[in-house]
Amino acid sequence: AQSVTQLDSQVPVFEEAPVELRCNYSSSVSVYLFWYVQYPNQGLQLLLKYLSGSTLVESINGFEAEFNKSQTSFHLRKPSVHISDTAEYFCAVSTGGGSNYKLTFGKGTLLTVNP
Amino acid sequence: DADVTQTPRNRITKTGKRIMLECSQTKGHDRMYWYRQDPGLGLRLIYYSFDVKDINKGEISDGYSVSRQAQAKFSLSLESAIPNQTALYFCATSDSGVLYNEQFFGPGTRLTVL
């Protein structure tokens, strides 16, 4: 069985500060990893994903995440946040295979960017 | 237009009432899912469907039923709503031809059961 742990339920930061949202997973097989973002009163949108290849993946709005297999982590980072980054962020893991259907989510981290 | 739509977006109902939440998609995906989101609990899977004739229970199916009327439509019913079903409900889709199961979400339905 796979599971996802997001270590911080809330992360408050000031505008232009760096931020790291932590995510650890457990799985006995190879995984695909995702970060989804939920802006206030909206659905979930894919922010970025790790499938294979380079362990560092980037989004179009300046976030990046690094897959670390030995530490089973997929932490999300941004060097300088904006007010508009205020949202809830969900880490998720999926395993491949013919019967694969399950996307397991962490409980979410609420990022609040203050002026 | 949005690829995954949900109706209604907001609903207030009373205990014991039957309610249906609807989901439609134009992505051409064969797989569809219903989740509920509660504060601090993340997303939990209620039901999922691989195609029109293949429907499966998720983690928390008790008190819910679903119907896959067509490949593009997947509805969730609460036969007799109770207050602890107050939550944000999301529909999602994915393509079985994509190994890594990226899912695409609708905007959500906020349900309040009084």
Side-chain angles (χ1 to χ4, degrees), chain A residues 19-50:
Chain A
V19 70
E20 178 180 80
L21 307 184
R22 296 179 292 169
C23 172
N24 287 90
Y25 69 92
S26 67
S27 174
S28 59
V29 297
S30 297
V31 297
Y32 305 105
L33 294 158
F34 305 83
W35 276 99
Y36 282 85
V37 59
Q38 183 181 24
Y39 297 105
N41 300 312
Q42 295 187 27
L44 277 74
Q45 306 171 31
L46 182 68
L47 185 62
L48 47 75
K49 61 192 177 196
Y50 169 77

Side-chain angles (χ1 to χ4, degrees), chain A residues 39-89:
Chain A
Y39 297 105
N41 300 312
Q42 295 187 27
L44 277 74
Q45 306 171 31
L46 182 68
L47 185 62
L48 47 75
K49 61 192 177 196
Y50 169 77
L51 305 178
S52 65
S54 173
T55 58
L56 185 66
V57 290
E58 299 177 351
S59 72
I60 58 173
N61 58 353
F63 282 94
E64 64 179 30
E66 186 162 18
F67 170 56
N68 188 318
K69 186 175 182 179
S70 63
Q71 297 188 6
T72 60
S73 67
F74 191 54
H75 301 332
L76 182 70
R77 301 184 183 96
K78 189 170 185 180
S80 177
V81 294
H82 302 291
I83 298 285
S84 59
D85 293 323
T86 294
E88 190 154 23
Y89 293 79

Side-chain angles (χ1 to χ4, degrees), chain B residues 2-16:
Chain B
D3 295 319
V4 185
T5 58
Q6 293 183 234
T7 56
R9 294 293 312 278
N10 289 281
R11 180 70 182 266
I12 300 174
T13 191
K14 294 182 179 180
T15 298

Side-chain angles (χ1 to χ4, degrees), chain B residues 50-67:
Chain B
F50 282 177
D51 63 36
V52 174
K53 296 182 180 180
D54 187 353
I55 293 177
N56 305 277
K57 293 182 177 180
E59 307 168 51
I60 53 164
S61 59
D62 288 349
Y64 301 95
S65 63
V66 291
S67 173

Side-chain angles (χ1 to χ4, degrees), chain A residues 32 34 36 38 41-46 49 51 88 90 94-103 105-108, chain B residues 9 31 33 35 37 40-43 45 48 50 57 59 88 90 98-108 110:
Chain A
Y32 305 105
F34 305 83
Y36 282 85
Q38 183 181 24
N41 300 312
Q42 295 187 27
L44 277 74
Q45 306 171 31
L46 182 68
K49 61 192 177 196
L51 305 178
E88 190 154 23
F90 292 93
S94 172
T95 59
S99 62
N100 169 51
Y101 71 93
K102 193 170 184 180
L103 195 59
F105 288 88
K107 294 184 177 181
Chain B
R9 294 293 312 278
R31 294 182 174 183
Y33 310 80
Y35 293 89
Q37 182 184 19
L41 297 181
L43 276 77
L45 184 63
Y48 61 100
F50 282 177
K57 293 182 177 180
E59 307 168 51
L88 189 54
F90 287 105
V98 175
L99 185 63
Y100 48 85
N101 195 26
E102 177 180 344
Q103 295 184 14
F104 298 81
F105 286 80
R110 186 169 297 279

